[in-house]
Amino acid sequence: MSQTAQRPTGSQGEAGGGREQARAASASARPAPVRPTAAPARTAAAARPTLEEVAALAGVGRGTVSRVVNGSPRVSERAREAVNAAIAELGYVPNRAARTLVTSRTDSIALVVPEAETRLFSEPYFSDIISGVSAELAETDMQLLLILVRNRRERERLSAYLTAQRVDGVLLVSVHQDDPLPSLLESLEIPSVLAGRRGDLEPLSYVHADNAGGARMAVRHLLRRGCDQVATIAGPLDMEGARARLSGYRQALEEAGRPYQEDLVGAGDFTEEGGRLAMRELLERRPGLDAVFCASDVMAAGALQVLRAAGRRVPDDVAVIGFDDSIVARHTDPALTSVRQPIEEMGRTMARLLLEEIAEQGRARRQVVLATELVVRESA
């Protein structure tokens, strides 16, 4: 008789099965053995390339890299290219927040204009200065802040803003002799560059054109044309640039053996309306005048309107010369002969000097005088 094999039953079989299940459960619950692994990757912060790594790759010193990153112009073109190539290869990104905490830098520059907004937007001089400054800062990380100061309240607010070190440096345009802003900048020891100066002994850095030389060129040109009664419309004499242009007018007359006559000098304010008023007064005082040198193109445009209304032909009866060689000079009728001052280059130079002062912590003070030239057109 055949027999069928059976699993053990009863307490002995149950106990054995339980031990097997327990061993299986214990094995599954036991943690897997730890296997050696590669070192964990660096965090994003730790992986960020350092200034030292950029310097090593570029083959320059750490200070050179810092100057390139901060937009300082005091770096050779060869070194700048090497640093920029290393930055691109390593993917270096400056830690601006950390640098601000350490150096108190804000990466911003204030362009301060102590004039009414009507002058800012109506006179090409200001837009050309802004254009030059912006172009020079374009390759840096500096932010440009435009600040108008039109009254005492706004001046006090600016003073508090600068005292709180909200900007790294200041560019001041349209400098008047009694303006307290340059003295404020000097007392705060904040890096600053002026467009113009208060006088010959200006202690702050400044950039301006050869105002006296340009005026001499203009008046000499009028005298060579045979003009006999040469008048001038001066700018506001609380500005050194206007005083220098009046001085150049006077020097040219003296060189030619001509007397300086007060009744041939009209008082203007660099505005078109000021040019109109001054031209009317000059015609009343000296109806026989045959030339006028205006200390700005905008005033010359106003003078041309008055001469046309008075029936005076330009240049047949009265020759007219302006100063600036702005866009105004090319759009008057007739086109205006003018003394060219490189206004955009003034803006660029101001920004460049300010970056140097910031990089050198205000120790550098520089004065730059840019050349002028006479651009002859139909009005003279």
Side-chain angles (χ1 to χ4, degrees):
M1 176 183 288
S2 63
Q3 295 181 350
T4 302
Q6 298 181 352
R7 292 179 59 88
T9 59
S11 59
Q12 182 179 357
E14 292 173 359
R19 284 193 295 271
E20 291 295 331
Q21 293 173 0
R23 281 195 295 269
S26 175
S28 63
R30 190 179 301 132
V34 178
R35 294 183 176 85
T37 59
R42 291 192 297 172
T43 63
R48 182 185 294 126
T50 66
L51 207 66
E52 288 76 10
E53 291 172 332
V54 174
L57 182 59
V60 299
R62 186 182 189 280
T64 300
V65 177
S66 179
R67 284 190 290 274
V68 172
V69 170
N70 293 329
S72 171
R74 298 178 68 82
V75 181
S76 71
E77 190 59 32
R78 183 177 180 180
R80 188 185 306 279
E81 290 176 358
V83 170
N84 286 331
I87 287 173
E89 182 174 338
L90 293 174
Y92 174 74
V93 178
N95 190 335
R96 298 288 175 186
R99 193 188 72 179
T100 298
L101 290 173
V102 174
T103 66
S104 299
R105 288 276 300 274
T106 65
D107 290 335
S108 60
I109 287 173
L111 176 60
V112 179
V113 182
E115 301 287 355
E117 65 270 24
T118 52
R119 286 199 64 193
L120 177 67
F121 296 113
S122 65
E123 297 183 28
Y125 172 83
F126 295 106
S127 60
D128 288 347
I129 284 284
I130 293 171
S131 177
V133 171
S134 300
E136 187 66 26
L137 297 180
E139 298 302 317
T140 75
D141 291 319
M142 287 290 185
Q143 295 294 320
L144 182 63
L145 309 177
L146 178 61
I147 301 177
L148 297 184
V149 179
R150 295 158 289 192
N151 52 47
R152 180 178 177 180
R153 180 171 177 270
E154 290 181 345
R155 188 166 57 247
E156 291 173 349
R157 189 163 58 198
L158 174 64
S159 176
Y161 187 78
L162 297 179
T163 302
Q165 298 181 331
R166 301 288 183 84
V167 294
D168 295 329
V170 174
L171 300 169
L172 180 60
V173 180
S174 194
V175 179
H176 294 262
Q177 193 168 24
D178 59 350
D179 191 338
L181 288 178
S183 296
L184 171 66
L185 297 174
E186 192 176 359
S187 65
L188 291 175
E189 297 184 344
I190 183 172
S192 307
V193 179
L194 312 182
R197 58 183 184 175
R198 289 167 288 182
D200 293 340
L201 302 179
E202 177 61 66
L204 297 174
S205 294
Y206 64 82
V207 179
H208 71 166
D210 181 7
N211 293 295
R216 283 197 303 272
M217 279 192 293
V219 178
R220 287 171 184 162
H221 178 77
L222 293 171
L223 294 172
R224 283 196 295 267
R225 290 185 84 254
C227 298
D228 184 56
Q229 299 185 48
V230 180
T232 186
I233 298 178
L237 298 182
D238 67 337
M239 301 183 73
E240 195 274 342
R243 295 196 303 273
R245 293 173 196 180
L246 181 59
S247 176
Y249 162 82
R250 187 168 189 162
Q251 290 167 17
L253 293 176
E254 291 173 352
E255 290 170 0
R258 305 291 185 89
Y260 173 78
Q261 302 174 71
E262 290 286 351
D263 61 348
L264 281 173
V265 179
D269 59 0
F270 286 148
T271 68
E272 188 173 337
E273 179 60 23
R276 284 193 289 264
L277 292 173
M279 192 70 249
R280 289 192 193 103
E281 292 175 0
L282 285 170
L283 287 176
E284 289 175 3
R285 294 199 302 260
R286 299 292 293 264
L289 65 84
D290 56 4
V292 57
F293 163 60
C294 301
S296 79
D297 289 346
V298 175
M299 291 195 300
L304 287 173
Q305 295 169 18
V306 171
L307 290 169
R308 184 181 298 108
R312 305 295 179 92
R313 296 170 301 163
V314 177
D316 300 324
D317 300 327
V318 181
V320 179
I321 295 181
F323 200 109
D324 288 337
D325 192 36
S326 64
I327 192 172
V328 171
R330 296 184 289 279
H331 289 82
T332 57
D333 183 20
L336 186 65
T337 294
S338 183
V339 177
R340 174 179 294 164
Q341 60 170 337
I343 303 176
E344 281 198 33
E345 180 58 28
M346 287 173 61
R348 280 184 172 274
T349 305
M350 289 173 64
R352 188 160 56 248
L353 293 187
L354 186 59
L355 290 174
E356 291 177 5
E357 281 203 23
I358 292 170
E360 298 172 13
Q361 299 182 338
R363 288 189 293 270
R365 294 288 171 86
R366 298 177 178 86
Q367 293 80 39
V368 176
V369 181
L370 300 176
T372 54
E373 62 176 307
L374 185 67
V375 179
V376 179
R377 299 189 181 91
E378 289 82 359
S379 71

